[in-house]
Amino acid sequence: MLTPGLKLPSSRELSRNILVSRNTVVRAYEQLNSEGYVETRHGAETYVANIPPPSSPAVRHDISKMAGRVSRFAHAFDPEQRISFSADQSALRPSTPDIAVFPFTTWNRLFGRYLLHPNVDLFNYNYDLGYPPLQEAIARYIQAYRGVVCEPDQVVVTNGAQAALDLLSRMLLKDGDVVWMEEPGYVNARLVFSAAGADIEPLNVTEEGWGLQNVPEGNIQLIYTTPSCQHPLGLSMRVEQRLRLLEIANRKAAWIIEDDFDSEYRLFGRSIPAMQGNDKFGLTIYVGTFAKTLFPAIRVGFMVVPQSICEQVKRAALYCGQQVSLPLQATLSDFIMNGHFASHLRRTRRLYAERREAFLQLGQKYLNEWMEPFEADVGIQIAFRFKRPFDDVAIASKANDMKLNVIPLSRYYYREPVRGLLLGYAAIDERAMQAHLALLAEVIKEQTS
């Protein structure tokens, strides 16, 4: 507002007039000078700088149109794809473990050690692809418990499994490439593949198995599968189908992404080993996460990359912001290597098996009139299908207004949807199950009558 060239009061005069310290005025003048608003002439005299007024632009752009000029990648993520859940309770939300049973006292003790006695290596720009002790801990775990064949340097630590899928989609796919992925299948994987320009071809999955007899014509660049715990149905792929899928991938020269979703939580017997261990062709990229086995907010995932593309993936990962907090990685490494992870898994397996049985019994009591569960024994959620063609989207929307946090089953289908609901049970005890399922039954009755 002051005229260019106007002489300002001396610092002594201004400080006296506005009743502040002269040092404060001096600092203010110095700051204005450094930013170019004033200039010093004739020794210590200060003048308003000659700053040209902003000119009115000849063309005023329509900001709303500019905001619409984003890339195809941004347009791929339709807001309708996202389910809004209540943040203050888990309720029936799928893929949600029970945070209350996690040994936070042990975790905090391990984590606090790195903060109290900081290691300079963990607080600098180091280990972009993963903290080496954690890479080794993950490699040992998946070799012993999942049958994965790998070396520690093939393990790339990422910000969750979704970050791994995003990076792989951008590395492996280009416009028009075909991705053969499960139907029903993981929505977030489908979205990032589509955003990369790929065409999705459905690999149909039913309780009878994977439809491997209907292989798409032409080239397939990528096959996405969840063979140990099919998402969302909770089925397990039999070994003959795994071997057949590997043969198809070899014949088509296609990469396989094996997303090892919820495989740790199998109701009967040991977890079925990963398909990657049967891959003699070197085409399988194994993706895992600690979100379900520890807690979702940990945001630590990983991928095991074939040696043939390991260096390319690592180079891409360096520049894509995939790095995970090093103190967090060091804590997780200790948690695994000291046996706490295995103990926690044993405890939660028993707990979730009991809760699954109780949930199915209560589901029979409250929901059997309208829907029935898919026959499955893996995972921490259960897919239910409606016995009649009800609108599962409308029912889920109403249920979520009541903070039940359910997902319509049709959301997981790309072309020919089956109607139903996906319900989680692991995070709630039997009393809460009864209350939530009774309320869900009221919602369904109201929406279908």
Side-chain angles (χ1 to χ4, degrees), residues 187-261:
V187 176
N188 292 354
R190 186 176 74 217
L191 290 176
V192 295
F193 299 152
S194 297
D199 296 328
I200 308 297
E201 290 292 336
L203 168 53
N204 294 316
V205 181
T206 66
E207 286 174 300
E208 284 68 48
W210 278 247
L212 300 180
Q213 67 279 7
N214 300 316
V215 182
E217 298 293 333
N219 294 326
I220 300 174
Q221 176 67 10
L222 183 65
I223 300 171
Y224 174 84
T225 183
T226 53
S228 296
C229 177
Q230 202 279 332
H231 187 66
L233 301 183
L235 309 173
S236 297
M237 187 186 294
R238 294 177 60 84
V239 66
E240 64 269 18
Q241 289 204 312
R242 293 171 179 235
L243 296 176
R244 171 66 176 150
L245 186 59
L246 289 167
E247 290 171 359
I248 293 171
N250 183 54
R251 176 163 52 87
K252 291 285 190 177
W255 297 105
I256 295 177
I257 294 180
E258 178 183 7
D259 193 344
D260 202 21
F261 184 89

Side-chain angles (χ1 to χ4, degrees), residues 22-72:
R22 185 185 176 197
N23 287 338
T24 301
V25 176
V26 169
R27 289 195 206 99
Y29 277 10
E30 290 173 347
Q31 182 69 26
L32 289 169
N33 185 59
S34 68
E35 294 183 24
Y37 289 104
V38 302
E39 56 190 12
T40 302
R41 303 181 201 162
H42 313 302
E45 294 180 341
T46 304
Y47 295 82
V48 176
N50 186 17
I51 304 172
S55 59
S56 299
V59 178
R60 187 174 296 277
H61 295 286
D62 186 336
I63 298 298
S64 62
K65 290 183 179 179
M66 290 177 62
R69 292 203 308 267
V70 294
S71 70
R72 180 193 58 211

Side-chain angles (χ1 to χ4, degrees), residues 135-146:
Q135 291 175 299
E136 182 176 353
I138 291 173
R140 285 189 186 183
Y141 166 69
I142 58 180
Q143 286 165 359
Y145 290 94
R146 304 298 305 122

Side-chain angles (χ1 to χ4, degrees), residues 105-169:
T105 300
T106 300
W107 179 269
N108 291 339
R109 174 171 51 80
L110 296 173
F111 191 51
R113 186 173 62 186
Y114 290 105
L115 300 181
L116 290 172
H117 307 286
N119 180 337
V120 67
D121 280 356
L122 299 179
F123 290 87
N124 272 323
Y125 294 109
N126 294 324
Y127 312 122
D128 295 301
L129 305 172
Y131 182 52
L134 179 58
Q135 291 175 299
E136 182 176 353
I138 291 173
R140 285 189 186 183
Y141 166 69
I142 58 180
Q143 286 165 359
Y145 290 94
R146 304 298 305 122
V148 172
V149 179
C150 71
E151 297 296 329
D153 67 350
Q154 292 176 257
V155 177
V156 178
V157 180
T158 63
N159 283 302
Q162 187 64 27
L165 296 178
D166 175 51
L167 177 61
L168 292 170
S169 71

Side-chain angles (χ1 to χ4, degrees), residues 273-292:
M275 185 172 66
Q276 189 265 10
N278 297 118
D279 182 7
K280 308 304 181 187
F281 309 111
L283 298 171
T284 303
I285 303 165
Y286 177 89
V287 174
T289 180
F290 292 98
K292 316 301 188 304

Side-chain angles (χ1 to χ4, degrees), residues 44 48 52 74 143 190 297 345 349 364 388 396 401 410:
V48 176
Q143 286 165 359
R190 186 176 74 217
L345 269 183
R349 279 174 179 151
Q364 172 75 14
R388 295 186 292 282
D401 288 343
S410 61

